[in-house]
mmCIF file of all heavy atoms in Angstrom:
data_model
loop_
_atom_site.group_PDB
_atom_site.id
_atom_site.type_symbol
_atom_site.label_atom_id
_atom_site.label_comp_id
_atom_site.label_asym_id
_atom_site.label_seq_id
_atom_site.Cartn_x
_atom_site.Cartn_y
_atom_site.Cartn_z
ATOM 1 N N ASN A 23 1.613 5.633 26.028
ATOM 2 C CA ASN A 23 2.838 5.686 26.831
ATOM 3 C C ASN A 23 4.007 6.316 26.085
ATOM 4 O O ASN A 23 5.130 6.342 26.597
ATOM 5 C CB ASN A 23 3.229 4.275 27.280
ATOM 6 C CG ASN A 23 2.170 3.643 28.160
ATOM 7 O OD1 ASN A 23 1.641 4.288 29.072
ATOM 8 N ND2 ASN A 23 1.854 2.379 27.896
ATOM 9 N N GLY A 24 3.753 6.774 24.902
ATOM 10 C CA GLY A 24 4.800 7.429 24.133
ATOM 11 C C GLY A 24 5.659 6.488 23.323
ATOM 12 O O GLY A 24 6.685 6.904 22.768
ATOM 13 N N ASN A 25 5.261 5.225 23.235
ATOM 14 C CA ASN A 25 6.031 4.262 22.447
ATOM 15 C C ASN A 25 5.625 4.326 20.979
ATOM 16 O O ASN A 25 4.432 4.414 20.655
ATOM 17 C CB ASN A 25 5.791 2.846 22.967
ATOM 18 C CG ASN A 25 6.228 2.685 24.404
ATOM 19 O OD1 ASN A 25 7.325 3.096 24.788
ATOM 20 N ND2 ASN A 25 5.366 2.090 25.227
ATOM 21 N N VAL A 26 6.596 4.276 20.100
ATOM 22 C CA VAL A 26 6.323 4.301 18.662
ATOM 23 C C VAL A 26 5.676 2.980 18.250
ATOM 24 O O VAL A 26 6.218 1.900 18.499
ATOM 25 C CB VAL A 26 7.617 4.527 17.864
ATOM 26 C CG1 VAL A 26 7.333 4.470 16.357
ATOM 27 C CG2 VAL A 26 8.244 5.872 18.238
ATOM 28 N N THR A 27 4.514 3.057 17.637
ATOM 29 C CA THR A 27 3.792 1.845 17.227
ATOM 30 C C THR A 27 3.647 1.725 15.710
ATOM 31 O O THR A 27 3.387 0.625 15.212
ATOM 32 C CB THR A 27 2.386 1.826 17.842
ATOM 33 O OG1 THR A 27 1.677 3.007 17.423
ATOM 34 C CG2 THR A 27 2.457 1.786 19.364
ATOM 35 N N GLU A 28 3.799 2.841 15.001
ATOM 36 C CA GLU A 28 3.563 2.807 13.555
ATOM 37 C C GLU A 28 4.206 4.023 12.911
ATOM 38 O O GLU A 28 4.290 5.092 13.518
ATOM 39 C CB GLU A 28 2.046 2.815 13.303
ATOM 40 C CG GLU A 28 1.613 2.582 11.865
ATOM 41 C CD GLU A 28 0.090 2.432 11.769
ATOM 42 O OE1 GLU A 28 -0.435 1.455 12.331
ATOM 43 O OE2 GLU A 28 -0.561 3.310 11.157
ATOM 44 N N LEU A 29 4.680 3.825 11.685
ATOM 45 C CA LEU A 29 5.227 4.933 10.907
ATOM 46 C C LEU A 29 4.401 5.104 9.640
ATOM 47 O O LEU A 29 3.967 4.117 9.046
ATOM 48 C CB LEU A 29 6.684 4.648 10.511
ATOM 49 C CG LEU A 29 7.687 4.378 11.641
ATOM 50 C CD1 LEU A 29 9.053 4.064 11.049
ATOM 51 C CD2 LEU A 29 7.779 5.568 12.597
ATOM 52 N N HIS A 30 4.151 6.341 9.273
ATOM 53 C CA HIS A 30 3.501 6.637 7.997
ATOM 54 C C HIS A 30 4.550 7.209 7.057
ATOM 55 O O HIS A 30 5.227 8.194 7.382
ATOM 56 C CB HIS A 30 2.345 7.617 8.186
ATOM 57 C CG HIS A 30 1.161 6.972 8.860
ATOM 58 N ND1 HIS A 30 -0.033 7.631 9.074
ATOM 59 C CD2 HIS A 30 0.974 5.716 9.348
ATOM 60 C CE1 HIS A 30 -0.886 6.814 9.681
ATOM 61 N NE2 HIS A 30 -0.295 5.649 9.850
ATOM 62 N N CYS A 31 4.691 6.572 5.912
ATOM 63 C CA CYS A 31 5.717 6.948 4.952
ATOM 64 C C CYS A 31 5.093 7.096 3.567
ATOM 65 O O CYS A 31 3.957 6.669 3.326
ATOM 66 C CB CYS A 31 6.829 5.899 4.896
ATOM 67 S SG CYS A 31 7.675 5.614 6.460
ATOM 68 N N THR A 32 5.870 7.671 2.680
ATOM 69 C CA THR A 32 5.488 7.700 1.266
ATOM 70 C C THR A 32 6.616 7.051 0.461
ATOM 71 O O THR A 32 7.771 7.025 0.901
ATOM 72 C CB THR A 32 5.268 9.132 0.767
ATOM 73 O OG1 THR A 32 6.401 9.943 1.126
ATOM 74 C CG2 THR A 32 4.016 9.735 1.380
ATOM 75 N N TYR A 33 6.249 6.507 -0.703
ATOM 76 C CA TYR A 33 7.273 5.895 -1.548
ATOM 77 C C TYR A 33 7.334 6.628 -2.873
ATOM 78 O O TYR A 33 6.392 7.327 -3.283
ATOM 79 C CB TYR A 33 6.975 4.415 -1.750
ATOM 80 C CG TYR A 33 6.070 4.077 -2.921
ATOM 81 C CD1 TYR A 33 6.533 3.333 -4.006
ATOM 82 C CD2 TYR A 33 4.734 4.512 -2.962
ATOM 83 C CE1 TYR A 33 5.703 3.013 -5.075
ATOM 84 C CE2 TYR A 33 3.913 4.198 -4.026
ATOM 85 C CZ TYR A 33 4.401 3.441 -5.087
ATOM 86 O OH TYR A 33 3.583 3.140 -6.144
ATOM 87 N N ASP A 34 8.464 6.481 -3.557
ATOM 88 C CA ASP A 34 8.638 7.082 -4.879
ATOM 89 C C ASP A 34 8.648 5.960 -5.899
ATOM 90 O O ASP A 34 9.603 5.175 -5.969
ATOM 91 C CB ASP A 34 9.966 7.850 -4.924
ATOM 92 C CG ASP A 34 10.181 8.555 -6.255
ATOM 93 O OD1 ASP A 34 9.430 8.264 -7.212
ATOM 94 O OD2 ASP A 34 11.122 9.368 -6.348
ATOM 95 N N PRO A 35 7.598 5.821 -6.722
ATOM 96 C CA PRO A 35 7.505 4.703 -7.681
ATOM 97 C C PRO A 35 8.610 4.728 -8.737
ATOM 98 O O PRO A 35 8.843 3.713 -9.405
ATOM 99 C CB PRO A 35 6.121 4.880 -8.315
ATOM 100 C CG PRO A 35 5.735 6.292 -8.038
ATOM 101 C CD PRO A 35 6.399 6.683 -6.765
ATOM 102 N N GLU A 36 9.288 5.888 -8.906
ATOM 103 C CA GLU A 36 10.357 5.973 -9.908
ATOM 104 C C GLU A 36 11.636 5.260 -9.445
ATOM 105 O O GLU A 36 12.537 5.039 -10.246
ATOM 106 C CB GLU A 36 10.678 7.456 -10.203
ATOM 107 C CG GLU A 36 9.513 8.244 -10.752
ATOM 108 C CD GLU A 36 9.079 7.726 -12.123
ATOM 109 O OE1 GLU A 36 9.991 7.367 -12.923
ATOM 110 O OE2 GLU A 36 7.869 7.660 -12.377
ATOM 111 N N THR A 37 11.704 4.922 -8.153
ATOM 112 C CA THR A 37 12.974 4.424 -7.578
ATOM 113 C C THR A 37 13.010 2.910 -7.448
ATOM 114 O O THR A 37 13.811 2.366 -6.680
ATOM 115 C CB THR A 37 13.188 5.053 -6.191
ATOM 116 O OG1 THR A 37 12.097 4.660 -5.327
ATOM 117 C CG2 THR A 37 13.263 6.562 -6.265
ATOM 118 N N LYS A 38 12.177 2.231 -8.173
ATOM 119 C CA LYS A 38 12.108 0.780 -8.051
ATOM 120 C C LYS A 38 13.468 0.137 -8.292
ATOM 121 O O LYS A 38 14.186 0.487 -9.223
ATOM 122 C CB LYS A 38 11.091 0.225 -9.050
ATOM 123 C CG LYS A 38 10.835 -1.274 -8.908
ATOM 124 C CD LYS A 38 9.730 -1.724 -9.855
ATOM 125 C CE LYS A 38 9.435 -3.204 -9.708
ATOM 126 N NZ LYS A 38 8.337 -3.652 -10.598
ATOM 127 N N SER A 39 13.801 -0.816 -7.432
ATOM 128 C CA SER A 39 15.073 -1.524 -7.547
ATOM 129 C C SER A 39 15.176 -2.221 -8.897
ATOM 130 O O SER A 39 14.227 -2.875 -9.342
ATOM 131 C CB SER A 39 15.192 -2.564 -6.426
ATOM 132 O OG SER A 39 16.415 -3.251 -6.506
ATOM 133 N N GLY A 40 16.313 -2.052 -9.555
ATOM 134 C CA GLY A 40 16.533 -2.673 -10.851
ATOM 135 C C GLY A 40 16.055 -1.847 -12.017
ATOM 136 O O GLY A 40 16.248 -2.235 -13.172
ATOM 137 N N SER A 41 15.438 -0.688 -11.749
ATOM 138 C CA SER A 41 14.899 0.149 -12.832
ATOM 139 C C SER A 41 15.965 1.040 -13.456
ATOM 140 O O SER A 41 15.723 1.653 -14.501
ATOM 141 C CB SER A 41 13.770 1.040 -12.291
ATOM 142 O OG SER A 41 14.282 1.971 -11.334
ATOM 143 N N GLY A 42 17.121 1.150 -12.813
ATOM 144 C CA GLY A 42 18.175 2.030 -13.320
ATOM 145 C C GLY A 42 18.052 3.458 -12.840
ATOM 146 O O GLY A 42 18.747 4.346 -13.356
ATOM 147 N N PHE A 43 17.204 3.726 -11.878
ATOM 148 C CA PHE A 43 17.017 5.091 -11.365
ATOM 149 C C PHE A 43 18.322 5.637 -10.787
ATOM 150 O O PHE A 43 18.978 4.993 -9.977
ATOM 151 C CB PHE A 43 15.924 5.093 -10.289
ATOM 152 C CG PHE A 43 15.733 6.428 -9.627
ATOM 153 C CD1 PHE A 43 14.998 7.426 -10.258
ATOM 154 C CD2 PHE A 43 16.308 6.701 -8.388
ATOM 155 C CE1 PHE A 43 14.826 8.666 -9.656
ATOM 156 C CE2 PHE A 43 16.138 7.939 -7.787
ATOM 157 C CZ PHE A 43 15.390 8.920 -8.425
ATOM 158 N N THR A 44 18.701 6.856 -11.228
ATOM 159 C CA THR A 44 19.921 7.500 -10.735
ATOM 160 C C THR A 44 19.678 8.942 -10.318
ATOM 161 O O THR A 44 20.609 9.711 -10.128
ATOM 162 C CB THR A 44 21.019 7.471 -11.816
ATOM 163 O OG1 THR A 44 20.523 8.126 -13.003
ATOM 164 C CG2 THR A 44 21.430 6.038 -12.154
ATOM 165 N N GLY A 45 18.414 9.334 -10.164
ATOM 166 C CA GLY A 45 18.080 10.723 -9.893
ATOM 167 C C GLY A 45 18.642 11.241 -8.584
ATOM 168 O O GLY A 45 18.995 12.425 -8.472
ATOM 169 N N ARG A 46 18.733 10.394 -7.571
ATOM 170 C CA ARG A 46 19.311 10.801 -6.278
ATOM 171 C C ARG A 46 19.739 9.533 -5.544
ATOM 172 O O ARG A 46 19.341 8.421 -5.897
ATOM 173 C CB ARG A 46 18.314 11.599 -5.438
ATOM 174 C CG ARG A 46 17.044 10.839 -5.069
ATOM 175 C CD ARG A 46 16.034 11.760 -4.381
ATOM 176 N NE ARG A 46 14.833 11.052 -3.964
ATOM 177 C CZ ARG A 46 13.820 10.747 -4.758
ATOM 178 N NH1 ARG A 46 13.871 11.130 -6.030
ATOM 179 N NH2 ARG A 46 12.775 10.099 -4.295
ATOM 180 N N LYS A 47 20.544 9.705 -4.538
ATOM 181 C CA LYS A 47 21.043 8.563 -3.787
ATOM 182 C C LYS A 47 20.640 8.671 -2.326
ATOM 183 O O LYS A 47 20.438 9.763 -1.794
ATOM 184 C CB LYS A 47 22.568 8.481 -3.902
ATOM 185 C CG LYS A 47 23.062 8.172 -5.312
ATOM 186 C CD LYS A 47 24.584 8.030 -5.344
ATOM 187 C CE LYS A 47 25.063 7.677 -6.745
ATOM 188 N NZ LYS A 47 26.548 7.523 -6.783
ATOM 189 N N VAL A 48 20.514 7.503 -1.708
ATOM 190 C CA VAL A 48 20.281 7.455 -0.259
ATOM 191 C C VAL A 48 21.378 6.593 0.358
ATOM 192 O O VAL A 48 21.969 5.734 -0.303
ATOM 193 C CB VAL A 48 18.892 6.868 0.078
ATOM 194 C CG1 VAL A 48 17.787 7.806 -0.389
ATOM 195 C CG2 VAL A 48 18.719 5.483 -0.526
ATOM 196 N N LYS A 49 21.660 6.833 1.640
ATOM 197 C CA LYS A 49 22.772 6.125 2.282
ATOM 198 C C LYS A 49 22.342 4.889 3.069
ATOM 199 O O LYS A 49 23.177 4.068 3.423
ATOM 200 C CB LYS A 49 23.512 7.092 3.212
ATOM 201 C CG LYS A 49 24.229 8.207 2.467
ATOM 202 C CD LYS A 49 25.046 9.069 3.423
ATOM 203 C CE LYS A 49 25.855 10.113 2.666
ATOM 204 N NZ LYS A 49 26.670 10.963 3.574
ATOM 205 N N GLY A 50 21.063 4.769 3.340
ATOM 206 C CA GLY A 50 20.603 3.639 4.145
ATOM 207 C C GLY A 50 19.746 2.669 3.358
ATOM 208 O O GLY A 50 18.898 3.086 2.559
ATOM 209 N N THR A 51 19.977 1.374 3.558
ATOM 210 C CA THR A 51 19.142 0.330 2.954
ATOM 211 C C THR A 51 18.588 -0.537 4.063
ATOM 212 O O THR A 51 19.344 -1.086 4.874
ATOM 213 C CB THR A 51 19.950 -0.539 1.973
ATOM 214 O OG1 THR A 51 20.439 0.289 0.912
ATOM 215 C CG2 THR A 51 19.074 -1.641 1.398
ATOM 216 N N LEU A 52 17.262 -0.661 4.118
ATOM 217 C CA LEU A 52 16.606 -1.452 5.154
ATOM 218 C C LEU A 52 15.968 -2.694 4.553
ATOM 219 O O LEU A 52 15.510 -2.679 3.418
ATOM 220 C CB LEU A 52 15.510 -0.627 5.850
ATOM 221 C CG LEU A 52 15.848 0.769 6.363
ATOM 222 C CD1 LEU A 52 14.658 1.338 7.133
ATOM 223 C CD2 LEU A 52 17.090 0.755 7.216
ATOM 224 N N HIS A 53 15.925 -3.742 5.325
ATOM 225 C CA HIS A 53 15.161 -4.915 4.900
ATOM 226 C C HIS A 53 13.756 -4.801 5.480
ATOM 227 O O HIS A 53 13.496 -4.021 6.399
ATOM 228 C CB HIS A 53 15.848 -6.209 5.346
ATOM 229 C CG HIS A 53 15.883 -6.414 6.823
ATOM 230 N ND1 HIS A 53 16.813 -5.798 7.650
ATOM 231 C CD2 HIS A 53 15.109 -7.166 7.648
ATOM 232 C CE1 HIS A 53 16.612 -6.171 8.897
ATOM 233 N NE2 HIS A 53 15.573 -6.991 8.929
ATOM 234 N N PHE A 54 12.829 -5.606 4.950
ATOM 235 C CA PHE A 54 11.426 -5.505 5.356
ATOM 236 C C PHE A 54 10.739 -6.821 5.077
ATOM 237 O O PHE A 54 11.246 -7.697 4.363
ATOM 238 C CB PHE A 54 10.726 -4.375 4.584
ATOM 239 C CG PHE A 54 10.494 -4.714 3.138
ATOM 240 C CD1 PHE A 54 9.270 -5.229 2.701
ATOM 241 C CD2 PHE A 54 11.514 -4.547 2.194
ATOM 242 C CE1 PHE A 54 9.068 -5.567 1.368
ATOM 243 C CE2 PHE A 54 11.314 -4.884 0.862
ATOM 244 C CZ PHE A 54 10.086 -5.395 0.445
ATOM 245 N N VAL A 55 9.544 -6.964 5.604
ATOM 246 C CA VAL A 55 8.662 -8.078 5.270
ATOM 247 C C VAL A 55 7.275 -7.501 5.031
ATOM 248 O O VAL A 55 6.755 -6.733 5.853
ATOM 249 C CB VAL A 55 8.617 -9.135 6.397
ATOM 250 C CG1 VAL A 55 7.574 -10.205 6.083
ATOM 251 C CG2 VAL A 55 9.986 -9.796 6.573
ATOM 252 N N GLU A 56 6.700 -7.848 3.883
ATOM 253 C CA GLU A 56 5.355 -7.362 3.552
ATOM 254 C C GLU A 56 4.342 -7.944 4.538
ATOM 255 O O GLU A 56 4.387 -9.131 4.871
ATOM 256 C CB GLU A 56 5.028 -7.771 2.116
ATOM 257 C CG GLU A 56 3.783 -7.101 1.545
ATOM 258 C CD GLU A 56 2.508 -7.873 1.864
ATOM 259 O OE1 GLU A 56 2.592 -9.115 1.973
ATOM 260 O OE2 GLU A 56 1.448 -7.239 2.024
ATOM 261 N N ALA A 57 3.395 -7.108 5.013
ATOM 262 C CA ALA A 57 2.564 -7.472 6.164
ATOM 263 C C ALA A 57 1.469 -8.489 5.847
ATOM 264 O O ALA A 57 1.220 -9.406 6.636
ATOM 265 C CB ALA A 57 1.947 -6.218 6.777
ATOM 266 N N SER A 58 0.789 -8.360 4.718
ATOM 267 C CA SER A 58 -0.406 -9.169 4.499
ATOM 268 C C SER A 58 -0.087 -10.655 4.314
ATOM 269 O O SER A 58 -0.918 -11.517 4.605
ATOM 270 C CB SER A 58 -1.178 -8.647 3.284
ATOM 271 O OG SER A 58 -0.468 -8.898 2.081
ATOM 272 N N GLN A 59 1.100 -10.966 3.810
ATOM 273 C CA GLN A 59 1.455 -12.365 3.556
ATOM 274 C C GLN A 59 2.614 -12.867 4.430
ATOM 275 O O GLN A 59 3.117 -13.961 4.229
ATOM 276 C CB GLN A 59 1.809 -12.550 2.084
ATOM 277 C CG GLN A 59 0.628 -12.186 1.174
ATOM 278 C CD GLN A 59 0.840 -12.623 -0.252
ATOM 279 O OE1 GLN A 59 1.248 -13.748 -0.508
ATOM 280 N NE2 GLN A 59 0.552 -11.721 -1.185
ATOM 281 N N ALA A 60 3.013 -12.056 5.381
ATOM 282 C CA ALA A 60 4.113 -12.436 6.264
ATOM 283 C C ALA A 60 3.735 -13.655 7.109
ATOM 284 O O ALA A 60 2.564 -13.837 7.473
ATOM 285 C CB ALA A 60 4.473 -11.265 7.168
ATOM 286 N N LYS A 61 4.720 -14.480 7.419
ATOM 287 C CA LYS A 61 4.533 -15.640 8.280
ATOM 288 C C LYS A 61 5.134 -15.344 9.657
ATOM 289 O O LYS A 61 6.276 -14.899 9.744
ATOM 290 C CB LYS A 61 5.208 -16.883 7.676
ATOM 291 C CG LYS A 61 4.691 -17.253 6.292
ATOM 292 C CD LYS A 61 3.218 -17.645 6.345
ATOM 293 C CE LYS A 61 2.696 -18.007 4.967
ATOM 294 N NZ LYS A 61 1.243 -18.328 4.978
ATOM 295 N N GLU A 62 4.337 -15.601 10.677
ATOM 296 C CA GLU A 62 4.863 -15.406 12.027
ATOM 297 C C GLU A 62 5.944 -16.438 12.305
ATOM 298 O O GLU A 62 5.874 -17.574 11.849
ATOM 299 C CB GLU A 62 3.744 -15.527 13.064
ATOM 300 C CG GLU A 62 2.726 -14.403 12.995
ATOM 301 C CD GLU A 62 1.716 -14.477 14.138
ATOM 302 O OE1 GLU A 62 1.964 -15.247 15.099
ATOM 303 O OE2 GLU A 62 0.698 -13.777 14.063
#
C-alpha cells in the first residue's frame, strides 16, 4: 500500500558517543530502542 515499514541504514563506528569524534557534525539526534531485547 506504499506505507513505509522498514529503513535500511548504515552506521559509522568512528562516531560512537563519548569517543570524542569531531570529524563532522549532524543536526538531528534521535532516540531508539534496540529490537532484540526491547520490552513491549
